[in-house]
Amino acid sequence: MATRLLVRRIWAVSVKDSRRLPAAAASLSSSSSSRSSSLSTSVHTRSFLSPSRSLLLSSHRCISFNVQDNDDFTERVINSDLPVLVDFHAQWCGPCKILGPRLEKAVAKQKGRVAMAKVDIDDHTDLAIEYGVSAVPTVIAMRGGDIIDKFVGIKDEDQLDSFVNKLIGQ
Amino acid sequence: MPPVENDNAQIKARLQEFIDSNLVVIFSKSYCPYCKKVKELFKELNVACEAMELDLIENGSSYQDVLMEMTGQKTVPNVFVNKTHVGGCDKTIQAHKDGYLQQLLGAESTAYDYDLIVIGGGSGGLACSKEAAALGKKVMVLDYVVPTPLGTSWGLGGTCVNVGCIPKKLMHQTAMLHTALEDARKFGWEFSEAVNHNWETMKSAVNNYIGSLNWGYRVALRDKNVTYMNSYAEFVEPHKIKATTKRGKEMFHTAAKFVLATGERPRYLGIPGDKEYCITSDDLFYLSYCPGKTLVIGASYVALECGGFLAGLGLDVTIMVRSILLRGFDQDMANRAGDHMETYGIKFIRKFVPIKIEQLEAGTPGRLKVTAKSTETDEIIEGEYNTVLIAVGRDACTGNIGLDKAGVFVNPKNGKIPVNDEEQTNIPHIYAIGDILEGKWELTPVAIQAGRLLARRLFAGSSEKCDYVNVPTTVFTPLEYGSCGLSEEKAIELYGEENLEIFHSLFWPLEYTIPNRDNNRCYAKIICNKLDNERVIGFHYLGPNAGEVTQGFGVAMKCGATKQQLDSTIGIHPTCAEIFTTMEVTKRSGGDIKQTGC
Ligand SMILES: Cc1cc2nc3c(=O)[nH]c(=O)nc-3n(C[C@H](O)[C@H](O)[C@H](O)COP(=O)(O)OP(=O)(O)OC[C@H]3O[C@@H](n4cnc5c(N)ncnc54)[C@H](O)[C@@H]3O)c2cc1C
């Protein structure tokens, strides 16, 4: 799992984002210093590479975004280098309106270590059906294209923080 | 009787169906030695064959004529293998000798894509497709909503969920709450004088609930393994449909069997301005603004219900009626419901029909001018309204689904599809359920029941048929009207007035006494058949919670309840429904039916 992740990341850096490598490298020191001590090897790997992602996301894309279509989902969620929380929601769903902002807050706290994709299930029914959504809100945690965690319904801020922390491996 | 040509077309379709659905088919006569010989041949080959004995069935000779037309062969046996015509006894034996038969038998049978395709994902279609899939069949359902002339559209689930029962009852409830608020003061509740209603809040709440139901249906189809297509379906061949998406993408699908469940849509008047400026119930539930002063055209239950709840929201409502209220329902009850609506503040313009709708001012709502003509004199009247709602009936969606290509017979007068008591059309592999059926109830639970039972008969060997008798129903007018069984008119027509005993009574719900409203308005009536032990054949209730009251009596009637059994039932006090356990005054007697005390 970790190896696969690593390969994917490096591939992503070398192929997709080669143009931006200098910037990524430049930001490396400051970013990695902010998450300094007591990191395991695998986290080191991430801390080496993730700054490029966070910079990229903060400068070119919003950390939380609305999924536009299936291709967009593939590109920004499945192929994402960052872990992604996918928030399946609907306009008619009251609890979704409470959870959405809480999730954004929890994600913002991570300062670019996790992204958030918002999927309106009426606009993107096929995606929701494919990902087994039965009730909303449903939140799926994805890393490297794999679903690694999921919850349905509402959670309070603390619960969301620990859900997100688990996802990024803290 | 339909013309002979039509008969032949039907026979042909039946034969084709028989041929298509069996590997080996022998048209035979029970006494014919050559027929026996081919049957033995297939027995030797250990191949099951289906024989149709033309001497034993009704119309056998017509079948033989049609076979002649189809194959050029009049004699029996007439053998088909894997949908291919082989010929008579000699030809079949020859085919066996030269291997052609084996080739035909082995040939990949033209398998259909699906066991069942259901056209229309409303009450009936969804129930049928889910049941069939649960029985292990490969099922597709197609649902597509053609937007209204004003562009309103909605999600999966059909009329009831999106533009029928559900939003209607929720808006009726909104209106009932208004009455409850007024009553509340009399019971001692104190709140500020002004009570306002916010249309937008109600509309969003209702639409949101519908959104969740749409999603629930979609999930259920996934979980039950029903293939769902948001496409418009039409037949191109008897076993093949074309499915067109909103973007115009076309796909073709085949199935062994089909169920038509396309429902109905509101009828327009065909007068200047109707489609441009008027709304129907299809638009009303999604209207982004409060309709304001409204003219409802029509006296269908949809007209009375919509007019009723709009008035209940505090709007100025007028209902224009061509002839009678609630055609098909008990007229005594219909008029009582109508009279109550008048006391509720709704104006009725009777015996007038609109001839022209003009826009005076655009807006949300705008202003419209309605010109109407008397049905009896030359009198012309004009009126100004913010909204005109047309509710003059609904047309079956059977005109644009290629039924001619499949050979399905549609009643040209009303677009309805006649079926036998197993919901089968004249084309054996095509069935129909729900609102498009000729002479059947147009109610959601009826469509659901018919759909589920049909699936079980088709795929689980069941023989249970949908029972269209003694169906309970309720009209959600401001004073609700529930009924089960026959109207007084129908009962008299069927049994004769002298053979009926009709018991009736007015009643005053306890809840209405303190607000002191609607005295002598609520009314109960049962129609009993004197020839059959005073069995209850008609049940009618005008009062609060009519649906809740009528449902249970529907069960009783299904069990064959008699007047004596109602009398020996203990009532629940104090309720409205208890009236049915103490009905003594017959209509014939002309006795006093005003309610007095406990
Ligand atoms: C205002 C109103 C209030 C009502 N209130 C009640 C009530 O209180 N209680 C009650 O029992 N009933 C009520 N009804 C009646 C009830 O809605 C219908 O009886 C029921 O919906 C019929 O079900 P159905 O399956 O026949 O058709 P529908 O539910 O109408 O479903 C048919 C579906 O097929 C789709 N379709 C049509 N043609 C095609 C095509 N070619 N390809 C793909 N899809 C197609 C349609 O868009 C629709 O979604 C009400 C109806 C109205 C209009």
Side-chain angles (χ1 to χ4, degrees):
Chain A
M1 179 67 211
T3 359
R4 196 180 136 204
L5 207 70
L6 181 64
V7 171
R8 198 188 273 266
R9 277 167 194 289
I10 289 170
W11 179 86
V13 170
S14 59
V15 180
K16 265 206 314 204
D17 302 327
S18 53
R19 289 172 291 122
R20 299 187 187 114
L21 263 178
S27 75
L28 205 143
S29 56
S30 64
S31 243
S32 57
S33 65
S34 73
R35 6 182 3 229
S36 57
S37 61
S38 75
L39 296 167
S40 72
T41 353
S42 69
V43 178
H44 265 293
T45 318
R46 185 169 305 132
S47 70
F48 168 72
L49 286 161
S50 62
S52 70
R53 295 296 81 67
S54 68
L55 180 89
L56 192 143
L57 280 154
S58 52
S59 58
H60 296 272
R61 294 161 176 176
C62 191
I63 199 84
S64 98
F65 53 90
N66 289 312
V67 169
Q68 302 302 318
D69 53 35
N70 278 18
D71 291 345
D72 190 40
F73 188 83
T74 307
E75 190 194 321
R76 290 208 275 179
V77 178
I78 298 178
N79 294 340
S80 166
D81 309 313
L82 281 182
V84 188
L85 285 185
V86 188
D87 176 19
F88 289 96
H89 66 95
Q91 269 167 19
W92 42 260
C93 155
C96 297
K97 298 203 172 85
I98 302 168
L99 185 73
R102 277 189 204 163
L103 266 179
E104 303 223 14
K105 210 164 140 194
V107 167
K109 278 190 205 158
Q110 298 301 328
K111 301 206 166 59
R113 281 173 296 210
V114 59
M116 175 174 163
K118 293 181 276 190
V119 180
D120 183 317
I121 61 168
D122 291 313
D123 295 341
H124 309 291
T125 306
D126 292 348
L127 271 177
I129 286 292
E130 187 185 328
Y131 280 85
V133 177
S134 292
V136 276
T138 289
V139 175
I140 287 176
M142 290 188 78
R143 197 163 55 197
D146 297 321
I147 298 174
I148 58 167
D149 209 347
K150 170 180 171 169
F151 72 85
V152 180
I154 207 136
K155 280 194 189 297
D156 64 29
E157 293 190 10
D158 289 347
Q159 289 170 317
L160 287 179
D161 285 341
S162 54
F163 184 83
V164 175
N165 282 335
K166 211 171 113 207
L167 171 65
I168 60 174
Q170 272 183 354
Chain B
M1 270 308 281
V4 178
E5 260 170 53
N6 206 336
D7 270 1
N8 279 353
Q10 282 192 26
I11 291 174
K12 188 163 173 186
R14 230 168 254 157
L15 288 174
Q16 196 63 52
E17 165 70 15
F18 190 58
I19 293 163
D20 288 353
S21 46
N22 294 294
L23 183 58
V24 176
V25 167
I26 303 170
F27 294 97
S28 144
K29 288 191 177 169
S30 58
Y31 51 78
C32 153
Y34 297 103
C35 298
K36 281 203 185 99
K37 208 164 158 189
V38 283
K39 285 177 200 163
E40 268 153 26
L41 170 68
F42 285 108
K43 205 168 169 190
E44 269 168 41
L45 294 172
N46 208 9
V47 174
C49 58
E50 284 294 326
M52 188 186 273
E53 307 294 348
L54 297 177
D55 59 324
L56 299 182
I57 61 169
E58 211 186 319
N59 274 346
S61 64
S62 317
Y63 278 72
Q64 213 167 343
D65 292 343
V66 175
L67 274 172
M68 165 76 192
E69 211 177 276
M70 291 167 74
T71 62
Q73 176 190 338
K74 178 134 195 189
T75 55
V76 293
N78 194 342
V79 179
F80 286 79
V81 176
N82 213 345
K83 305 182 188 62
T84 309
H85 181 234
V86 178
C89 181
D90 289 349
K91 284 239 175 88
T92 307
I93 288 169
Q94 184 59 39
H96 178 225
K97 279 190 188 139
D98 60 24
Y100 177 53
L101 200 60
Q102 289 80 344
Q103 197 187 322
L104 281 178
L105 283 170
E108 192 79 336
S109 67
T110 40
Y112 295 116
D113 303 342
Y114 293 90
D115 296 312
L116 175 69
I117 288 181
V118 178
I119 305 180
S123 312
L126 289 179
C128 185
S129 56
K130 285 188 281 188
E131 189 76 16
L135 292 169
K137 295 295 153 185
K138 198 174 169 208
V139 184
M140 167 180 271
V141 61
L142 301 102
D143 189 61
Y144 186 88
V145 177
V146 179
T148 70
L150 297 182
T152 313
S153 188
W154 49 88
L156 175 62
T159 302
C160 182
V161 194
N162 296 289
V163 287
C165 333
I166 300 296
K168 178 276 296 287
K169 181 92 186 278
L170 290 172
M171 293 193 181
H172 170 67
Q173 169 65 6
T174 311
M176 295 287 98
L177 286 172
H178 188 192
T179 311
L181 278 171
E182 281 167 4
D183 285 359
R185 293 186 206 276
K186 303 275 177 47
F187 284 91
W189 289 102
E190 290 171 5
F191 42 92
S192 67
E193 273 311 304
V195 176
N196 298 315
H197 182 256
N198 185 319
W199 174 275
E200 166 66 23
T201 306
M202 170 188 72
K203 183 231 154 206
S204 318
V206 170
N207 292 176
N208 285 348
Y209 178 60
I210 293 172
S212 76
L213 293 178
N214 296 145
W215 178 250
Y217 286 123
R218 184 64 190 87
V219 169
L221 291 178
R222 174 192 66 195
D223 294 349
K224 293 240 154 82
N225 282 321
V226 176
T227 306
Y228 163 69
M229 299 277 295
N230 183 200
S231 303
Y232 188 87
E234 59 194 296
F235 279 95
V236 288
E237 286 170 28
H239 281 276
K240 190 178 197 176
I241 55 158
K242 180 171 88 178
T244 313
T245 67
K246 194 153 95 191
R247 294 207 184 87
K249 196 174 141 226
E250 292 179 359
M251 277 169 84
F252 294 86
H253 308 280
T254 61
K257 293 190 162 64
F258 290 84
V259 170
L260 309 173
T262 50
E264 297 181 313
R265 293 295 291 272
R267 181 180 306 150
Y268 280 82
L269 291 160
I271 59 168
D274 65 347
K275 287 198 174 157
E276 293 91 324
Y277 307 125
C278 300
I279 63 168
T280 67
S281 56
D282 280 0
D283 300 297
L284 179 64
F285 304 119
Y286 295 87
L287 214 56
S288 60
Y289 53 87
C290 177
K293 182 182 175 189
T294 301
L295 175 70
V296 177
I297 300 169
S300 61
Y301 79 83
V302 174
L304 299 194
E305 290 179 340
C306 293
F309 73 67
L310 290 176
L313 301 184
L315 302 182
D316 178 334
V317 174
T318 307
I319 301 184
M320 185 179 285
V321 180
R322 184 181 59 185
S323 59
I324 60 168
L325 303 184
L326 298 177
R327 187 177 301 280
F329 287 89
D330 188 291
Q331 283 302 295
D332 169 27
M333 302 303 294
N335 291 329
R336 285 172 187 273
D339 291 347
H340 172 265
M341 288 175 78
E342 275 182 81
T343 68
Y344 193 67
I346 295 169
K347 296 181 278 287
F348 280 86
I349 301 178
R350 289 177 191 264
K351 301 208 154 69
F352 270 89
V353 287
I355 51 175
K356 187 167 65 173
I357 318 286
E358 292 158 292
Q359 188 178 54
L360 300 173
E361 191 187 318
T364 53
R367 281 191 308 125
L368 300 172
K369 185 171 110 183
V370 179
T371 311
K373 185 177 159 301
S374 163
T375 58
E376 294 177 324
T377 66
D378 288 337
E379 193 187 348
I380 301 276
I381 54 170
E382 286 177 352
E384 220 183 280
Y385 303 91
N386 295 117
T387 298
V388 177
L389 171 81
I390 302 176
V392 293
R394 299 168 58 82
D395 289 323
C397 303
T398 53
N400 300 313
I401 53 173
L403 290 183
D404 49 333
K405 306 238 169 54
V408 175
F409 180 76
V410 178
N411 183 342
K413 282 202 206 96
N414 55 18
K416 296 259 184 170
I417 299 182
V419 292
N420 63 16
D421 64 351
E422 301 204 309
E423 286 87 25
Q424 191 175 36
T425 70
N426 64 313
I427 301 299
H429 72 278
I430 303 180
Y431 298 78
I433 53 175
D435 283 5
I436 55 174
L437 295 190
E438 166 130 74
K440 298 285 190 335
W441 290 96
E442 292 174 16
L443 293 167
T444 271
V446 175
I448 292 173
Q449 180 87 334
R452 287 173 59 199
L453 295 181
L454 173 60
R456 287 183 205 162
R457 287 196 308 275
L458 291 178
F459 303 118
S462 158
S463 58
E464 190 182 348
K465 293 174 194 170
C466 184
D467 183 359
Y468 293 93
V469 177
N470 282 341
V471 171
T473 178
T474 290
V475 180
F476 293 96
T477 32
L479 197 55
E480 300 169 2
Y481 165 36
S483 76
C484 182
L486 303 177
S487 65
E488 200 174 321
E489 293 83 358
K490 193 77 194 166
I492 291 173
E493 182 191 321
L494 289 175
Y495 297 99
E497 195 165 8
E498 66 285 4
N499 295 317
L500 301 175
E501 200 66 85
I502 297 169
F503 296 87
H504 67 163
S505 181
L506 288 164
F507 62 95
W508 200 21
L510 182 63
E511 297 81 352
Y512 291 8
T513 55
I514 286 181
N516 195 16
R517 68 174 162 94
D518 295 325
N519 198 356
N520 286 327
R521 288 277 164 206
C522 298
Y523 179 73
K525 173 166 86 176
I526 54 169
I527 303 166
C528 304
N529 181 1
K530 288 204 282 187
L531 301 175
D532 183 20
N533 214 9
E534 288 207 327
R535 201 172 303 286
V536 182
I537 55 172
F539 171 95
H540 303 272
Y541 169 95
L542 183 70
N545 307 307
E548 312 299 339
V549 170
T550 308
Q551 181 70 82
F553 285 98
V555 178
M557 286 176 69
K558 208 148 174 62
C559 299
T562 61
K563 176 66 168 70
Q564 193 276 323
Q565 286 168 333
L566 289 186
D567 291 343
S568 66
T569 300
I570 308 279
I572 301 173
H573 192 67
T575 64
C576 293
E578 67 176 318
I579 188 79
F580 289 100
T581 64
T582 58
M583 299 239 280
E584 275 159 17
V585 183
T586 63
K587 206 167 176 182
R588 197 189 308 283
S589 72
D592 185 18
I593 55 169
K594 296 214 174 74
Q595 187 73 353
T596 47
C598 281

